[in-house]
Structures are given as structure tokens and as C-alpha cells.
Amino acid sequence: MLHPSINGERLLASIQDLGAIGRDDRGQLTRLAASDTEKQGRDRLVGWLEAAGLDVAIDRIGNIFGIWQSQENAGQLPLMLGSHIDTVINAGIYDGCYGVLAGLEVIETLKEQGFEPARPIVVAAFTNEEGVRYAPDMLGSLVHAGGLAVEAALATFGTDGTTLGSELARIGYAGTVEPGSLKPHAYVELHIEQGPVLEREAMTIGAVENLQGISWQRITIDGVANHAGTTPMAMRCDAGLAAARVGLFLRDHIARSNAPSVATIGTMRFEPDAINVIPSRAIFTVDLRDPDEDRLQALENALASELRVITAEEGVTVTVERLARFEPVTFDPGIVEMIEASAITRGLKNRRMTSGAGHDAQMIARIAPAAMIFVPSRDGISHNPREHTDPTDLVAGANVLLDVVRRIAGGR
Ligand code: HGY
Ligand code: MN
Ligand code: MN
């Protein structure tokens, strides 16, 4: 029996279309939360939502919702789809955008098929999922889920000294809807895997059962600036060298632990940042992740005790600021089974898996049954302009989303 399918061409075209928005003169794609380039992306998305005949609501943290509801089903809690359209720096075009645009595509397909869902269906684009400009990441969905007061989120300072609230107002997306007022019956997020598993196993669909815990810290190490040529090694209080020790410690500690933990120092800067001056200060971030909460805590504790050793041995001082801390999340088994059943019915090779990346689904899982569908990432690459997923896999993932939406929304 032929299964209803989404309009693959329309979906692929919209992904390319949105992917062209926010490129600089070198062709690099960057749409940081609440930036001018993200505003262009938001405006394009809102135009598409309106053209699809959806009601558009913007909440106070700038989350965008496209709402498809009828008189008959308006009293029911909505089925929510979605993801994010903000990006990292020099990003690919699929991370987040694929889930938002596939959610819209599913709604458009259902409308064209004359489907009448028993409950409203909403597609969301959450603010600041990436957390590159404002920490923590998944900020818009965290506020939506009640995990952070909207006032605190709006007052968050970015890496550029702006506040999220002032920037949302400046780009015209400081909405009025109270965050969380659109409480979902369930939430399903379609996303690229951003890792190597599905491709390595020649699978098309990942039914995501859980998502690993995340710990973000900003560490400032203060030493003593001195002359690079005249200062003997034993007399240095070198903040740069102390920072380098942190990276080596994390890699060696995880290697010895045999755990699936990961550690990343993604940003680092020195002061005074001069070739012939021993750094007086190093400011850097540490991103730690593990699917197991106890192991993640143990890794955080191991880092804290190593920082004490480095402080003593290098004659520096260390201050730590916590930027984000999210425990591992388990998704709804019932929805995971629906994802698996759809893949099997469609003859798509599939497996259950853990998400290595953070996603809005981990926040919405706090207030409603939630799960995720993954499709393969070529070479496991993401957060990189080489990010790519084959068109057939993109369409297959959206068709699985279509099946799951029809089952959860109910109707005829
Ligand atoms: O950090 C993450 O995992 C996500 O891309 N925000
Ligand atoms: Mn994402
Ligand atoms: Mn991302």
C-alpha cells in the first residue's frame, strides 16, 4: 500500500532557500540568535507560516509558533513539532532548520490531503538553541518548559555584551505571548544526527530514546604577565600553559576512563595576547557531556580537583562560572515505538539511539511526552559548512514524521 508522502521537492527547496539566508561576503552561514541575519531567517519563516494559512504567535522570548487549528479541535492540547533556525558560526544548512521546515511541510501535506486532525498541530522555531551568543543553549525551549524565568532569560548577557531582550526587541521579535502558554500534548523533533552512527551502520532512521547530559563552564585563569625571553621557566605563572594543561587532562582522563564522555574547549582567549608576553590571563569554555548523570558529575569533580592541582603547581588563580547544566533525558517510549513502526512499514533501516547533541526536545520533554527522529549526517559532520544529508534521507525522515503526526494527532 502506498504511504502518503510529503512534497519532497518543496521541502528540499525550502531548506536550500533558508540555507542561503545569513551568509557573509565569504559565503559563510552564520545566524546567531537575535542577530540581523537571524532576523532575516525569522522573517522568511514567518512568511512561509502565514502563506501556509497558519496563525503565527511569537512569545516573550521570541519563540515562533505556526498554529494549525480548527473550530472543532481548538479546545485540545496541540501536537507540537519543531526545532530551531539559529545557527553556530560558519554553519551547515540542516541543523535545526530541517526540523522546523519538515514540520511545516507535514502540516502543508496534511492540509492538501484534506486531513482533519483531532487536535491542533503547531510547528515551533525556538530561540537561541545553539547558545553560541547567549548561554545556556536551548534557551527558548527551556523558558517555554518553565526551566528559566523569561525575565532572567531576557536579561542574559551575550558574548558581545548585548542582552537577549534588547536584541529581540531590536529585531522585532520581542513577542507578547506568555512563554509556556502553548502547552503541548506531545512533541516530536526531526533532526540530522550530527554524528557518525547512522551512516556507519547504513541506517536511514534513528529512533532517539535518550539524550546525554550537558555541562558548560567558563574558566578564567589568572597568572602573571612577564617577558617571554628573560623569565626562566621555573619562575613563570603562565595562565596560557595552565589552560593548555586543562585540555590535555580532560583528554587523558576520558581516555583512561573508557567512558563515552566527551570534552570540548571550544573558545579560548589570552590577555594581553602578545607574542612575547607570558599570558597573564586565559579565559576559555569547557563543554562536558555524558549519557550517564553519575559519570558526568564524576567528570566535573575530576576537572575541579585538577584545577586545584594546576593552581598550586602553576602559581595561578582559577575562577569557574557555570554556564549550563542539563541532566540526561529519556524520551517517551510510546513515541519512539511509533517512529520505529513507521520506519519498518516504510522499509527504512532503523535503530534506536542516544543523541550526543543537545536539542529543544530535551527541554519540552519536561512538560510533555517527547521524542526525536534522526537521519544520517554524511561523514558524521555537523556545526561545519560540510554538514550534509542525502535528499532521499531528508524526505524519508519527513515521511516518518508525517506518519507519527497522523498517529498522535488522530483525526481523519
Ligand atoms: O550544543 C548542542 O549540542 C546544540 O547544538 N546546541
Ligand atoms: Mn540543532
Ligand atoms: Mn547545533
Side-chain angles (χ1 to χ4, degrees):
M1 165 213 154
L2 254 187
H3 305 286
S5 172
I6 56 113
N7 180 328
E9 256 174 62
R10 181 170 56 194
L11 172 61
L12 298 174
S14 63
I15 293 172
Q16 294 299 329
D17 201 340
L18 185 55
I21 295 177
R23 291 192 180 271
D24 63 18
D25 46 13
R26 290 177 295 169
Q28 293 189 357
L29 171 62
T30 302
R31 285 199 306 263
L32 298 185
S35 63
D36 290 332
T37 52
E38 202 220 8
K39 170 184 173 48
Q40 292 164 23
R42 285 170 171 263
D43 292 348
R44 178 66 57 88
L45 174 64
V46 167
W48 283 331
L49 296 174
E50 288 168 343
L54 306 186
D55 298 328
V56 177
I58 316 281
D59 74 10
R60 291 179 56 203
I61 197 67
N63 293 325
I64 298 171
F65 301 99
I67 305 163
W68 177 33
Q69 70 181 6
S70 63
Q71 261 169 351
E72 296 72 24
N73 67 24
Q76 302 295 321
L77 289 180
L79 166 57
M80 189 177 282
L81 317 174
S83 193
H84 61 95
I85 64 165
D86 66 308
T87 74
V88 294
I89 298 166
N90 193 10
I93 67 170
Y94 302 96
D95 178 359
C97 301
Y98 170 50
V100 174
L101 297 175
L104 174 56
E105 173 54 40
V106 161
I107 290 175
E108 289 186 288
T109 296
L110 291 173
K111 290 180 88 171
E112 286 163 356
Q113 292 172 353
F115 186 75
E116 291 170 8
R119 58 180 70 252
I121 302 176
V122 172
V123 57
F126 290 106
T127 296
N128 190 48
E129 190 278 346
E130 292 295 1
V132 171
R133 188 182 184 194
Y134 302 97
D137 54 349
M138 286 79 70
L139 186 52
S141 47
L142 176 65
V143 170
H144 185 85
L148 180 67
V150 62
E151 289 75 13
L154 292 170
T156 304
F157 279 99
T159 50
D160 54 7
T162 61
T163 62
L164 178 54
S166 61
E167 284 292 277
L168 284 172
R170 185 180 65 80
I171 68 166
Y173 280 89
T176 51
V177 173
E178 210 43 47
S181 52
L182 204 58
K183 185 175 173 358
H185 163 72
Y187 177 79
V188 187
E189 181 167 354
L190 173 60
H191 206 288
I192 54 171
E193 178 201 338
Q194 301 181 287
V197 173
L198 290 175
E199 182 185 62
R200 189 178 58 208
E201 298 181 13
M203 298 279 174
T204 303
I205 297 294
V208 186
E209 295 182 296
N210 61 330
L211 189 149
Q212 63 180 347
I214 301 176
S215 161
W216 279 7
Q217 301 173 59
R218 179 182 292 122
I219 297 176
T220 301
I221 297 182
D222 284 307
V224 177
N226 212 328
H227 195 296
T230 60
T231 314
M233 294 304 279
M235 288 178 65
R236 295 178 180 215
C237 300
D238 183 339
L241 188 88
R245 283 188 58 172
V246 175
L248 282 173
F249 166 76
L250 287 168
R251 188 196 55 187
D252 297 346
H253 180 85
I254 289 174
R256 284 194 303 272
S257 71
N258 244 341
S261 326
V262 288
T264 309
I265 295 180
T267 68
M268 182 174 288
R269 64 185 173 82
F270 290 159
E271 291 173 7
D273 200 22
I275 187 168
N276 55 0
V277 179
I278 298 168
S280 55
R281 171 168 281 192
I283 304 169
F284 58 101
T285 52
V286 174
D287 176 325
L288 305 175
R289 313 217 187 173
D290 193 297
D292 178 89
E293 175 60 17
D294 292 343
R295 273 203 312 259
L296 184 56
Q297 280 183 22
L299 184 55
E300 287 176 315
N301 295 338
L303 172 58
S305 51
E306 180 65 14
L307 288 173
R308 285 190 289 274
V309 169
I310 290 172
T311 300
E313 292 179 359
E314 302 295 340
V316 295
T317 57
V318 174
T319 46
V320 178
E321 180 193 356
R322 181 182 289 294
L323 297 178
R325 183 59 165 90
F326 301 125
E327 294 195 4
V329 164
T330 302
F331 288 133
D332 180 77
I335 303 177
V336 173
E337 273 158 35
M338 289 183 196
I339 295 166
E340 216 169 31
S342 162
I344 291 166
T345 308
R346 287 180 179 270
L348 300 169
K349 290 186 73 185
N350 64 92
R351 62 157 286 170
R352 292 178 176 228
M353 62 193 294
T354 296
S355 173
H359 296 287
D360 293 307
Q362 77 188 88
M363 300 307 171
I364 307 302
R366 297 179 181 204
I367 55 172
M372 294 188 75
I373 307 164
F374 276 175
V375 291
S377 290
R378 185 175 62 189
D379 302 331
I381 290 276
S382 183
H383 285 186
N384 178 317
R386 284 179 45 216
E387 185 179 277
H388 180 80
T389 297
D390 289 346
T392 43
D393 291 341
L394 292 169
V395 174
N399 280 330
V400 169
L401 181 67
L402 175 70
D403 294 348
V404 174
V405 166
R406 293 173 75 99
R407 282 190 65 180
I408 297 177
R412 56 185 187 290

